[in-house]
Amino acid sequence: MFAGTFPFRDHVFHSNPDSVGKALSPYLPPQKTGYWQSAAGWLYEQSRDETDTAIPLVSPDGQWGIAFWGRLDNREQLIHALSLPMHCDDAALILAGWRQWAEQLPQHLIGDFALAVLDTRSHLLFLARDPMGVKPLYYRFDEQGLVFGSSVPAINAIHPQRPTPDTEWMVRYLWGLSFQPQTTAYTEIQKLPPGHSLTLKLHGTPQISCWHQWRDDAPMATRRDPHWVNEYRAVLETSIRCRMRACERFGSESSGGIDSSTITAYLAKYLALPTEQLYCFGFTLSELEAEYILETSRYCGVAHNYLVTTLNYLETSVLERTLQVLGYPDEHANAVLHIPFYRECALHGINRLFSGFGGDEVVTNPGNLLPYELLDEGLYAALWDITPGHYLSRPLRFAKRSFIRKNPAFHTGLLSAYQQRWPDCIIRAEVAERFGIRQRYMDNARFDAPFRRINDFILRHHLHRMQLTARLENCTLVAASYGIDYCWPLWDVRLVQQYLSTPAIEKVGPHGMGRYLHRRAIDGTVPPKVAWKPTKNMGNVVTESVSAWRYGQPEELLDLDPRLAELIDLPKWHKQVDSFARSDAIIDDTQAFSLKRNVNAVRRLNLWLRSL
């Protein structure tokens, strides 16, 4: 992790390395730190790597300073292209790459990373971030210059002026709509979007450029070819193995589903002693989760399974820690929900945790849009192949699909749920109207409805959903506060591109079997019971009830910071708090969903504003 400044002339930013270091790692001291000050600004970097490499890396002539957080997966190609020795570290590759390619450097890198380059001779700052957004990078720009860092608290430790809470962000947060590519909870602080770079010259303004573009280049095919499965499997294996570098003991999140089971099974396959080196972590909140989690562990020889049977995401101490690490309320719940995993990893000396997150969005996408795609191309034989049903229902479904010419405006199931929940929104009507909250909320209920191609849905919806990036950012930082490096192999840029470049017919099997490309690729490694499970359904929720999260003091929910109170419909909120506090209140599933969301959002916002 790192932070730094790029001041304009006659301006000096705070440069106490200790305070910056404490802001970056408030709970777990790093193994190594480094500080470099130059005429162009300064860099502070910290690492848990115990090698002798200096950080930040400075060129011998003192012209360039390099800060790097992450992992490079194409080291051999870079070493060959730059004529460097095999033992050089990632920062040395970045420095040599900057000499060779300058601002085109990120286009040559594969991995999860955030980086900064300070050029003292040209008085230039360059920042870049990986395409998937795994490693966060924030900045604050004003007339004094630019401050940047791996976390918002690091920026606040440097800049002399306190940032201002963003009212629109708070309003959106109250109804789960705060995710944006650049904005944060503060009006003055922004984040560099994934796959983008920032260039700033003396007395200039930041120039933001998108350096990564996805290719929509899948050929049209009407028959399946094993070649595509082999190609996909090869990239999948690479995406997992490259993240196992320089580590002896691993953690793997295990939900019992196809995505997490894929990661667990391949880790076990590649480890010499999986019974000793691999630990699995999962929730058993539904009827079948434990059964499927343990099925993968049994099949793969995993001996250590840590299963969580209840949730504790309303603990004040947990929320306070998260605020200290992130600098503002977490936008994705998993950053907090998975803290039991981080704690257990720390107890067992595990510093790398793998997750199957990202599969549903791309590589294990069910492919529900393929009928539209085939219909538009006039490929009726292929459409018949993927039509489900028996000898009576199948012809009827095929006939119905053959006459589909118009998309629905909304996803049918989501529209009903969203309409039922909207009356429970606690944002004041005039405030919601000012910021267009209802329209933004209902737009989410469109989901895949506007699209007729699998790749269009992925490229224009999933890969632009900042909710996904928020999960990566939040989980990366909170896990790092426990000394954990989070890894998402199914969110690998090469694997995602391989899927996008694969013919659509490969993604859905006969009779409409979804996730077909991935299922065939993992067959024989993941237990058949999991790999070929027809649905994601894990049965009814059995351990999380209203009473499981209905704790805390109602007074806390009514004693609101004035900046929050002015945004809320207080009579409606007081009525909901009364339901929250009463053990005899009857709450249906829709009300429970909205009430939990409201309670969580209000508590987090209130705690944050009070802390300021």
Side-chain angles (χ1 to χ4, degrees):
M1 302 176 72
F2 59 82
T5 66
F6 187 80
F8 293 158
R9 195 165 297 148
D10 301 327
H11 290 288
V12 178
F13 288 110
H14 178 62
S15 59
N16 183 340
D18 291 338
S19 62
V20 177
K22 182 66 176 176
L24 282 173
S25 295
Y27 292 96
L28 188 65
Q31 296 290 334
K32 185 170 56 176
T33 63
Y35 178 76
W36 176 65
Q37 189 163 8
S38 71
W42 57 262
L43 291 173
Y44 170 89
E45 187 173 356
Q46 59 181 218
S47 171
R48 295 192 173 88
D49 186 354
E50 297 182 351
T51 64
D52 296 329
T53 305
I55 57 171
L57 181 63
V58 180
S59 62
D61 60 1
Q63 179 179 353
W64 297 296
I66 305 290
F68 178 80
W69 182 28
R71 181 197 69 258
L72 293 179
D73 297 330
N74 61 330
R75 285 178 46 82
E76 291 187 11
Q77 297 95 315
L78 291 170
I79 287 170
H80 176 75
L82 299 169
S83 302
L84 294 174
M86 291 297 296
H87 64 271
C88 68
D89 64 12
D90 289 350
L93 289 172
I94 298 298
L95 176 57
W98 177 259
R99 290 177 183 268
Q100 181 77 19
W101 300 304
E103 293 175 46
Q104 282 69 51
L105 167 65
Q107 300 171 29
H108 297 269
L109 307 179
I110 298 175
D112 303 332
F113 61 83
L115 63 88
V117 180
L118 266 180
D119 187 327
T120 61
R121 191 172 301 167
S122 302
H123 212 99
L124 176 144
L125 169 68
F126 181 78
L127 306 175
R129 192 172 172 207
D130 67 80
M132 310 312 295
V134 173
K135 302 299 183 186
L137 187 52
Y138 303 86
Y139 66 94
R140 177 173 179 172
F141 175 75
D142 54 28
E143 69 281 353
Q144 300 181 63
L146 188 141
V147 178
F148 57 92
S150 300
S151 72
V152 167
I155 292 176
N156 291 340
I158 298 169
H159 202 283
Q161 298 172 341
R162 290 185 177 182
T164 310
D166 188 317
T167 300
E168 181 176 355
W169 184 91
M170 288 191 288
V171 173
R172 293 163 69 110
Y173 186 88
L174 281 168
W175 203 237
L177 301 170
S178 63
F179 318 107
Q180 293 292 301
Q182 288 185 263
T183 59
T184 71
Y186 299 101
T187 57
E188 298 87 354
I189 300 177
Q190 295 181 296
K191 52 188 173 187
L192 187 63
H196 282 67
S197 63
L198 179 153
T199 303
L200 178 61
K201 297 181 180 180
L202 186 63
H203 298 308
T205 56
Q207 302 300 308
I208 309 293
S209 300
C210 178
W211 61 265
H212 179 267
Q213 298 290 340
W214 297 105
R215 303 190 313 276
D216 184 9
D217 57 359
M220 179 56 64
T222 58
R223 294 184 178 181
R224 300 181 187 89
D225 186 338
H227 157 78
W228 293 106
V229 178
N230 295 334
E231 288 291 313
Y232 175 86
R233 184 189 298 112
V235 181
L236 170 64
E237 293 176 350
T238 297
S239 72
I240 296 172
R241 298 198 73 157
C242 70
R243 289 165 170 78
M244 298 175 67
R245 190 181 75 188
C247 193
E248 292 296 326
R249 189 173 290 183
F250 301 87
S252 180
E253 293 179 354
S254 185
S255 68
I258 191 172
D259 296 339
S260 65
S261 297
T262 295
I263 305 304
T264 298
Y266 274 97
L267 286 173
K269 177 179 178 179
Y270 296 141
L271 289 172
L273 297 170
T275 56
E276 298 178 12
Q277 295 176 276
L278 183 57
Y279 291 68
C280 288
F281 306 92
F283 291 104
T284 56
L285 307 178
S286 299
E287 292 173 317
L288 302 178
E289 281 177 324
E291 176 184 338
Y292 278 87
I293 290 171
L294 296 178
E295 171 67 11
T296 298
S297 292
R298 181 199 62 77
Y299 188 87
C300 302
V302 177
H304 301 286
N305 292 276
Y306 178 80
L307 304 182
V308 179
T309 60
T310 190
L311 304 177
N312 65 343
Y313 50 85
L314 288 181
E315 263 183 48
T316 300
S317 61
V318 170
L319 302 184
E320 289 174 341
R321 177 181 179 124
T322 306
L323 277 177
Q324 188 77 6
V325 172
L326 300 180
Y328 58 93
D330 54 295
E331 294 182 281
H332 200 285
N334 285 48
V336 174
L337 293 181
H338 290 189
I339 280 180
F341 302 167
Y342 314 152
R343 290 171 174 168
E344 196 69 13
C345 283
L347 288 175
H348 292 284
I350 300 166
N351 58 19
R352 194 163 302 171
L353 179 61
F354 281 69
S355 171
F357 169 68
D360 285 347
E361 287 69 27
V362 183
V363 300
T364 62
N365 185 290
N368 294 332
L369 293 173
L370 184 56
Y372 287 119
E373 198 164 339
L374 297 177
L375 183 63
D376 291 346
E377 294 291 334
L379 301 175
Y380 294 99
L383 179 60
W384 171 261
D385 175 70
I386 67 165
T387 301
H390 51 68
Y391 71 97
L392 287 178
S393 62
R394 193 179 189 194
L396 293 175
R397 286 195 177 107
F398 177 77
K400 182 179 180 180
R401 284 180 169 183
S402 298
F403 288 98
I404 297 174
R405 296 297 175 185
K406 185 177 180 181
N407 290 45
F410 292 88
H411 185 285
T412 306
L414 290 179
L415 178 62
S416 174
Y418 276 50
Q419 289 173 331
Q420 290 178 38
R421 292 168 186 168
W422 174 251
D424 295 321
C425 179
I426 58 172
I427 303 169
R428 284 173 53 196
E430 58 270 30
V431 174
E433 183 176 358
R434 187 198 324 165
F435 294 110
I437 298 302
R438 190 179 191 281
Q439 183 62 50
R440 294 176 189 271
Y441 175 65
M442 295 309 299
D443 281 346
N444 288 337
R446 297 184 187 277
F447 196 57
D448 60 354
F451 306 103
R452 294 181 71 88
R453 295 177 65 244
I454 297 171
N455 276 13
D456 283 345
F457 179 41
I458 292 170
L459 289 166
R460 293 162 55 192
H461 182 268
H462 281 316
L463 292 176
H464 286 277
R465 284 181 71 201
M466 290 302 108
Q467 180 179 1
L468 308 181
T469 303
R471 174 170 176 172
L472 302 180
E473 294 165 345
N474 288 184
C475 289
T476 291
L477 289 172
V478 176
S481 74
Y482 289 88
I484 309 300
D485 180 21
Y486 231 133
C487 297
W488 292 275
L490 299 186
W491 210 233
D492 184 282
V493 64
R494 295 160 296 183
L495 187 63
V496 170
Q497 185 58 64
Q498 179 65 35
Y499 186 86
L500 292 171
S501 300
T502 300
I505 193 66
E506 301 287 348
K507 301 167 184 177
V508 179
H511 297 275
M513 169 65 78
R515 301 174 171 85
Y516 197 54
L517 176 66
H518 188 83
R519 291 180 196 271
R520 287 176 290 161
I522 64 174
D523 193 29
T525 300
V526 176
K529 180 177 179 178
V530 176
W532 297 98
K533 185 175 184 290
T535 72
K536 290 173 62 68
N537 183 17
M538 287 291 181
N540 296 322
V541 175
V542 293
T543 60
E544 191 203 9
S545 62
V546 172
S547 60
W549 51 266
R550 191 190 250 152
Y551 64 89
Q553 298 300 319
E555 295 79 8
E556 174 192 3
L557 299 173
L558 299 177
D559 183 20
L560 302 181
D561 184 281
R563 290 167 290 188
L564 177 57
E566 67 181 9
L567 306 177
I568 291 177
D569 182 335
L570 293 178
K572 182 186 286 188
W573 174 235
H574 290 174
K575 184 177 180 181
Q576 291 189 12
V577 171
D578 181 62
S579 296
F580 171 82
R582 289 174 50 204
S583 59
D584 61 338
I586 300 175
I587 302 176
D588 61 28
D589 290 343
T590 298
Q591 291 175 311
F593 181 92
S594 300
L595 182 53
K596 283 188 285 186
R597 173 157 59 186
N598 291 342
V599 168
N600 286 330
V602 169
R603 287 199 67 195
R604 283 161 164 78
L605 286 174
N606 204 40
L607 192 63
W608 168 55
L609 292 171
R610 296 291 191 193
S611 72
L612 300 179

